[in-house]
Structures are given as structure tokens and as C-alpha cells.
């Protein structure tokens, strides 16, 4: 397989998109970009604040613009937010502008991984397991629709996942 110009990581929150993306970018000598970080840089506020002020719909509109801009770049590893694939236009752009890797992880693993680190507005103040299960049921077909490959991240180290991706695109 020919080396793709961009590698786009999709998957649910807690799948390891940012960590795997950084490792992959280092290995392949590409630039790493996290779409959530870009949204925060452009707005000057964090994602929970955007959700609080604009709701999920407002956030998704901002995300669609960022996905469009970033996916036009060359030589990047792009880690997307878990819901980036909900918007049909974003899904089409991601699928058409890079080699898409769906980092799959179980709901149980997501619960463990999302307990630490970033605030996650979609699971704040709720039953995280039930919310994550509902989101995965809704989004899994959308991830698979545009994925060139699916890599399971459950119980695996970041470097092992990144190495598997490198092997599959080489």
C-alpha cells in the first residue's frame, strides 16, 4: 500500500486517538494535530465551556469548520473528537482526505480511560457507562463507514497500537 498523505484517527472518547496519534506522528515524521486542541486554540476557551454556552449543536458547527480546514492539510496525523463523524459533511471529508483508522475500544475500557484527564461534557453528571454504550451504538456504524482499517485498542499500549497501524499502511 502506498503511504497515505494523511492519517486520520477516529473513534470514541477514550480510544487513545491523541496518544496513538502523537506516537504515530513521531514514528512517521508527520505533524500531529488534535482537532479538539485546535478548536480550543481558535476559540480561546475549553470544550466544556463551548458546550455550556452553545450546546452540542454549537460545538459541532465549530468542529465541522475545523475538520474541513485540517483535513485539507498534507503530511499530518489528525486525531478527531469522538463525535466528529456525526456530521455527514465532516464524515465525507475525513473519509476522502486521508487514510482513516478507527480506533475501537469497548465501553468498559472507555469508562476506565475517561475517568482521568480531560473533562468530557457528554458524560459529565451522568451514568458514564450507559451514555458511552449509547454513543457507541449510535456511532460505531458511522466510524466503520469511513474506516480504511479498524484497530482494537483494548488493553494495549500506545506504541503497540501505533506500530500495528504503521505495519498496515506500509
Amino acid at each position: 500500500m502506498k503511504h497515505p498523505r494523511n492519517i486520520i484517527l477516529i473513534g470514541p472518547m477514550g480510544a487513545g486517538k491523541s496518544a496513538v496519534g502523537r506516537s504515530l506522528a513521531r514514528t512517521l515524521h508527520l505533524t500531529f494535530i488534535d482537532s479538539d486542541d485546535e478548536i480550543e486554540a481558535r476559540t480561546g476557551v475549553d470544550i466544556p465551556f463551548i458546550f455550556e454556552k452553545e450546546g452540542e449543536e454549537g460545538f459541532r458547527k465549530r468542529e465541522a469548520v475545523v475538520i474541513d480546514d485540517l483535513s485539507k492539510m498534507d503530511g499530518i496525523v489528525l486525531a478527531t473528537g469522538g463525535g466528529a463523524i456525526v456530521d455527514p459533511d465532516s464524515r465525507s471529508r475525513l473519509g476522502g482526505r486521508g487514510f482513516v483508522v478507527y480506533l475501537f475500544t469497548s465501553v468498559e475500557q472507555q469508562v476506565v480511560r475517561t475517568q482521568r484527564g480531560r473533562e468530557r461534557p457528554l458524560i459529565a453528571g451522568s451514568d458514564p457507562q450507559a451514555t458511552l454504550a449509547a454513543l457507541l451504538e449510535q456511532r460505531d456504524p458511522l466510524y466503520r463507514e469511513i474506516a480504511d482499517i479498524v484497530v482494537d485498542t483494548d488493553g494495549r499500549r500506545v506504541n503497540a497500537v501505533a506500530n500495528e497501524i504503521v505495519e498496515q499502511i506500509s
Side-chain angles (χ1 to χ4, degrees), residues 24-41:
L24 202 52
R26 270 192 309 274
T27 301
L28 297 173
H29 307 289
L30 298 172
T31 301
F32 172 73
I33 302 173
D34 183 301
S35 64
D36 285 349
D37 290 347
E38 182 66 18
I39 293 166
E40 290 179 346

Side-chain angles (χ1 to χ4, degrees), residues 28-106:
L28 297 173
H29 307 289
L30 298 172
T31 301
F32 172 73
I33 302 173
D34 183 301
S35 64
D36 285 349
D37 290 347
E38 182 66 18
I39 293 166
E40 290 179 346
R42 289 183 185 193
T43 61
V45 296
D46 65 13
I47 288 171
F49 185 82
I50 297 169
F51 266 78
E52 180 185 324
K53 297 298 180 191
E54 299 177 5
E56 184 175 1
E57 184 179 337
F59 172 77
R60 295 291 171 216
K61 286 179 183 174
R62 291 178 181 277
E63 182 178 54
V65 170
V66 167
I67 291 295
D68 185 34
D69 291 347
L70 296 177
S71 64
K72 289 176 184 173
M73 299 173 72
D74 283 322
I76 64 168
V77 174
L78 175 61
T80 63
I85 47 73
V86 172
D87 177 73
D89 291 334
S90 292
R91 198 164 56 251
S92 176
R93 289 175 181 127
L94 292 169
R97 295 180 181 164
F99 186 86
V100 180
V101 180
Y102 172 17
L103 296 182
F104 175 83
T105 191
S106 67

